[in-house]
Amino acid sequence: MRVKQLALCMFIVAMIAGVVGAQTPPSCPVTTTVILHATIVVSGTTFDGGCTRYVAGPELGDGSQSESQKPVFKVVNGTLRNVVIGAPAADGIHTEGNVTLSNVHWQDVGEDALTVKKSGTVTINGGTGFSAADKVFQINAASTFTVRNFVARNGGKFIRQNGGTTFKVSMFIDRCDVSVVSEAIARTDSPTTTVRMTNTRYSRIGKQLFIG
């Protein structure tokens, strides 16, 4: 319990210190739209979408809360950049290992924008996510999770560690803009997980900023 309390204090102090520092994220004007009938796997390399909008076909899912949906992208120890994910987004993006996302945008999140499936260091730098029915980012494995220069609007939670789990996640939120969230910016049930938020603007957050 002591560790959990320290994590909460770290979250609040760092957040207040930089509340006015959020920046406008990069944009990605759509160049073309592609309907995907199978998941694109990015493994050990960099995938640059050139601001193409990718929409899930029925083979992947309909963007509902169904847990049987498949991801639009699966990134394994790689980099994904300059991508727009349209609606439906199925199960968004899955990550395994060390992954970087740069300038990735979700026009309508649906289930989850991104799920950390296997442990690693995941960095999201620049992007937007709108209309998450539950949460924007879901973390299902021990990891270091950093999100910078990101705008999230309309959702239940910005970041959620898988409920009932006790593995450690180090969450870092910097220069983001989070608004219209019904529950919390970050939620965890783990006594060892920490959250640090800096230079971030937030508004219309539901129950409390941090639950854990």
Side-chain angles (χ1 to χ4, degrees):
M1 180 62 70
R2 180 180 178 83
V3 175
K4 184 183 291 187
Q5 290 173 341
L6 286 172
L8 177 58
C9 291
M10 177 186 294
F11 179 88
I12 293 174
V13 171
M15 174 271 301
I16 291 175
V19 70
V20 297
Q23 294 182 344
T24 302
S27 62
C28 203
V30 173
T31 55
T32 188
T33 298
V34 174
I35 298 176
L36 293 178
H37 302 284
T39 299
I40 296 176
V41 178
V42 180
S43 182
T45 189
T46 295
F47 182 99
D48 191 328
C51 292
T52 296
R53 174 168 51 203
Y54 297 90
V55 176
E59 298 86 351
L60 300 182
D62 59 5
S64 67
Q65 288 291 288
S66 172
E67 296 293 337
S68 63
Q69 297 183 97
K70 298 176 181 178
V72 175
F73 284 91
K74 177 181 176 181
V75 187
V76 182
N77 293 314
T79 297
L80 182 68
R81 65 190 183 203
N82 299 322
V83 162
V84 178
I85 297 181
D91 205 33
I93 297 172
H94 289 181
T95 71
E96 298 181 6
N98 299 327
V99 170
T100 298
L101 270 63
S102 179
N103 200 28
V104 176
H105 301 260
W106 291 261
Q107 295 182 324
D108 188 334
V109 169
E111 168 65 4
D112 303 316
L114 178 146
T115 303
V116 177
K117 302 293 281 187
K118 293 186 179 180
S119 295
T121 297
V122 177
T123 301
I124 300 167
N125 188 13
T128 58
F130 301 101
S131 302
D134 187 8
K135 61 271 183 190
V136 179
F137 301 121
Q138 171 79 18
I139 302 177
N140 290 351
S143 53
T144 298
F145 187 84
T146 301
V147 54
R148 297 190 183 96
N149 203 23
F150 194 94
V151 170
R153 191 162 295 120
N154 293 315
K157 295 165 282 288
F158 184 44
I159 304 174
R160 174 60 161 131
Q161 179 172 339
N162 196 22
T165 59
T166 57
F167 55 77
K168 181 177 180 178
V169 178
S170 298
M171 304 182 196
F172 299 92
I173 304 166
D174 182 51
R175 299 186 182 279
C176 291
D177 188 337
V178 182
S179 63
V180 197
V181 173
S182 63
E183 189 172 340
I185 290 177
R187 179 169 182 174
T188 178
D189 299 326
S190 172
T192 59
T193 288
T194 59
V195 182
R196 180 177 178 87
M197 188 165 81
T198 55
N199 306 308
T200 289
R201 181 182 294 112
Y202 63 88
S203 63
R204 298 173 66 185
I205 306 300
K207 297 178 180 179
Q208 58 192 79
L209 293 179
F210 175 75
I211 298 175

